[in-house]
């Protein structure tokens, strides 16, 4: 991808995330996003057809960034990977946005994109690891199960009021991923 295109898309994604921390998503206009990103409205539409597609790309980018930091596992680590903690810190910083995106009134398009990205990350991580335990289960089923659990924990966490700290959510998610017979850490 042309570096200028990547830079513009990243600027638009960051602008949307920043604005969504300040105001409800429904009140943010394409003009607001373009202004914050330092581009004009026509530049926005050269890259995105609408705000929903931009949101899906922004949330995808966050998941992909965390995935890039995941280590290749030869055995089950003692605790959650730093990439998981970093991803949940991102979710925490954008909790209102995730609450809306993953909630019942959220966008089906955004939810499908987030689910698809996380499933791909999980599929690649499990397939590339040497950790036993899923040898007799098809990889797409493993990815769907882990993704469903992860998104369920994330949604339950961001819906809490008050929302527990990232460390608590990380412990909950790690425990769900390990299952009831996994070590409680």
């Amino acid at each position: 991808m042309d570096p200028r295109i990547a830079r513009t898309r990243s600027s638009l994604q960051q602008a949307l995330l920043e604005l969504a921390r300040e105001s409800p998503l429904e009140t943010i206009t394409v003009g607001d996003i373009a202004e914050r990103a330092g581009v004009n409205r026509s530049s926005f539409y050269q890259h995105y057809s609408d705000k929903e597609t931009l949101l899906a790309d922004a949330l995808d980018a966050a998941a992909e960034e965390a995935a890039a930091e995941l280590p290749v596992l030869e055995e089950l680590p003692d605790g959650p990977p730093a990439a998981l903690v970093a991803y949940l810190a991102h979710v925490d910083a954008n909790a209102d946005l995730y609450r809306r995106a993953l909630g019942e009134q959220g966008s089906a398009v955004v939810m499908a994109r987030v689910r698809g990205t996380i499933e791909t990350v999980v599929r690649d991580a499990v397939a590339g690891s040497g950790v036993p335990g899923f040898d007799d289960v098809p990889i797409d089923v493993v990815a769907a199960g882990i993704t469903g659990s992860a998104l369920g924990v994330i949604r339950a966490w961001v819906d809490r009021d008050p929302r527990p700290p990232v460390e608590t959510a990380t412990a909950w998610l790690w425990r769900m991923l390990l299952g009831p017979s996994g070590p409680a850490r």
Side-chain angles (χ1 to χ4, degrees):
M1 176 183 297
D2 182 313
R4 292 172 296 178
I5 291 171
R7 222 176 7 257
T8 300
R9 287 184 179 179
S10 179
S11 293
L12 289 165
Q13 292 166 15
Q14 291 308 310
L16 176 61
L17 293 176
E18 288 170 11
L19 288 165
R21 285 185 212 113
E22 300 166 9
S23 307
L25 185 62
E26 306 78 40
T27 66
I28 300 168
T29 66
V30 168
D32 296 333
I33 297 165
E35 182 179 331
R36 178 68 64 98
V39 301
N40 57 41
R41 286 175 58 94
S42 65
S43 290
F44 176 94
Y45 287 111
Q46 287 176 333
H47 297 277
Y48 293 103
S49 58
D50 54 35
K51 203 169 50 170
E52 185 178 48
T53 306
L54 170 60
L55 175 59
D57 270 7
L59 299 185
D60 275 354
E64 289 168 358
E65 184 178 317
E69 300 299 318
L70 282 174
V72 175
L73 301 176
E74 297 296 324
E75 58 186 40
L76 192 62
D78 290 335
L84 179 60
V85 177
Y87 181 66
L88 291 179
H90 157 79
V91 171
D92 187 48
N94 297 283
D96 289 338
L97 187 58
Y98 276 89
R99 189 178 304 112
R100 284 192 296 275
L102 301 178
E104 291 181 19
Q105 302 302 315
S107 162
V109 170
V110 173
M111 183 62 178
R113 289 271 304 275
V114 169
R115 179 177 292 283
T117 299
I118 293 174
E119 279 187 17
T120 299
V121 168
V122 170
R123 186 174 31 257
D124 293 348
V126 170
S129 78
V131 177
F134 294 118
D135 299 338
D136 58 340
V137 181
I139 192 70
D140 61 315
V141 174
V142 172
I146 291 173
T147 300
S149 292
L151 288 174
V153 170
I154 290 170
R155 181 169 173 199
W157 171 50
V158 297
D159 282 347
R160 291 196 178 286
D161 186 20
R163 187 174 55 261
V166 170
E167 297 77 19
T168 300
T170 303
W172 290 345
L173 181 51
W174 190 242
R175 184 65 192 270
M176 291 302 103
L177 294 178
L178 294 178
S181 60
R185 299 190 191 275

Short mmCIF file of all heavy atoms in Angstrom, two decimals, residues 99 155-164:
data_model
loop_
_atom_site.label_atom_id
_atom_site.label_comp_id
_atom_site.label_asym_id
_atom_site.label_seq_id
_atom_site.Cartn_x
_atom_site.Cartn_y
_atom_site.Cartn_z
N ARG A 99 -18.37 -0.49 23.81
CA ARG A 99 -19.68 -0.82 24.38
C ARG A 99 -20.76 -0.66 23.31
O ARG A 99 -21.62 -1.52 23.16
CB ARG A 99 -19.98 0.09 25.58
CG ARG A 99 -21.21 -0.31 26.36
CD ARG A 99 -21.45 0.58 27.59
NE ARG A 99 -20.30 0.59 28.48
CZ ARG A 99 -19.52 1.65 28.69
NH1 ARG A 99 -19.77 2.79 28.09
NH2 ARG A 99 -18.50 1.59 29.51
N ARG A 155 -17.14 -7.74 26.27
CA ARG A 155 -18.43 -7.05 26.34
C ARG A 155 -18.94 -6.97 27.78
O ARG A 155 -19.39 -5.91 28.23
CB ARG A 155 -19.45 -7.74 25.46
CG ARG A 155 -20.77 -7.01 25.49
CD ARG A 155 -21.72 -7.48 24.47
NE ARG A 155 -23.00 -6.83 24.70
CZ ARG A 155 -24.14 -7.25 24.23
NH1 ARG A 155 -24.17 -8.31 23.46
NH2 ARG A 155 -25.25 -6.61 24.49
N ALA A 156 -18.85 -8.06 28.53
CA ALA A 156 -19.30 -8.04 29.93
C ALA A 156 -18.48 -7.05 30.74
O ALA A 156 -19.02 -6.35 31.61
CB ALA A 156 -19.21 -9.45 30.53
N TRP A 157 -17.19 -6.96 30.44
CA TRP A 157 -16.31 -6.03 31.15
C TRP A 157 -16.67 -4.58 30.86
O TRP A 157 -16.85 -3.78 31.78
CB TRP A 157 -14.87 -6.33 30.78
CG TRP A 157 -13.86 -5.34 31.27
CD1 TRP A 157 -13.72 -4.85 32.54
CD2 TRP A 157 -12.83 -4.73 30.50
NE1 TRP A 157 -12.67 -3.97 32.60
CE2 TRP A 157 -12.10 -3.88 31.36
CE3 TRP A 157 -12.45 -4.82 29.17
CZ2 TRP A 157 -11.02 -3.13 30.92
CZ3 TRP A 157 -11.37 -4.08 28.74
CH2 TRP A 157 -10.67 -3.24 29.61
N VAL A 158 -16.78 -4.21 29.57
CA VAL A 158 -17.05 -2.80 29.25
C VAL A 158 -18.47 -2.39 29.66
O VAL A 158 -18.73 -1.19 29.81
CB VAL A 158 -16.78 -2.46 27.76
CG1 VAL A 158 -15.32 -2.66 27.41
CG2 VAL A 158 -17.69 -3.20 26.81
N ASP A 159 -19.37 -3.36 29.86
CA ASP A 159 -20.73 -3.03 30.29
C ASP A 159 -20.82 -2.79 31.80
O ASP A 159 -21.82 -2.26 32.27
CB ASP A 159 -21.70 -4.17 29.92
CG ASP A 159 -22.10 -4.14 28.46
OD1 ASP A 159 -21.84 -3.13 27.78
OD2 ASP A 159 -22.66 -5.15 27.98
N ARG A 160 -19.79 -3.17 32.55
CA ARG A 160 -19.84 -3.00 34.01
C ARG A 160 -19.71 -1.52 34.38
O ARG A 160 -18.97 -0.78 33.77
CB ARG A 160 -18.73 -3.79 34.68
CG ARG A 160 -18.95 -5.27 34.58
CD ARG A 160 -18.07 -5.99 35.58
NE ARG A 160 -18.29 -7.41 35.56
CZ ARG A 160 -19.34 -8.04 36.05
NH1 ARG A 160 -20.29 -7.34 36.60
NH2 ARG A 160 -19.44 -9.34 35.99
N ASP A 161 -20.43 -1.17 35.47
CA ASP A 161 -20.34 0.19 35.98
C ASP A 161 -20.27 0.10 37.50
O ASP A 161 -21.27 -0.30 38.13
CB ASP A 161 -21.55 1.01 35.53
CG ASP A 161 -21.44 2.47 35.91
OD1 ASP A 161 -20.31 2.93 36.17
OD2 ASP A 161 -22.48 3.14 35.97
N PRO A 162 -19.14 0.37 38.09
CA PRO A 162 -17.91 0.85 37.47
C PRO A 162 -17.16 -0.29 36.76
O PRO A 162 -17.28 -1.45 37.16
CB PRO A 162 -17.09 1.39 38.64
CG PRO A 162 -17.56 0.60 39.82
CD PRO A 162 -19.02 0.29 39.56
N ARG A 163 -16.42 0.08 35.75
CA ARG A 163 -15.65 -0.90 34.99
C ARG A 163 -14.37 -1.24 35.76
O ARG A 163 -13.61 -0.35 36.14
CB ARG A 163 -15.30 -0.32 33.61
CG ARG A 163 -14.64 -1.32 32.69
CD ARG A 163 -14.42 -0.79 31.27
NE ARG A 163 -13.67 0.45 31.22
CZ ARG A 163 -14.20 1.67 31.09
NH1 ARG A 163 -15.49 1.83 30.97
NH2 ARG A 163 -13.44 2.74 31.06
N PRO A 164 -14.15 -2.53 36.01
CA PRO A 164 -12.92 -2.92 36.70
C PRO A 164 -11.68 -2.56 35.87
O PRO A 164 -11.78 -2.35 34.66
CB PRO A 164 -13.06 -4.44 36.84
CG PRO A 164 -14.52 -4.71 36.71
CD PRO A 164 -15.02 -3.66 35.76
#
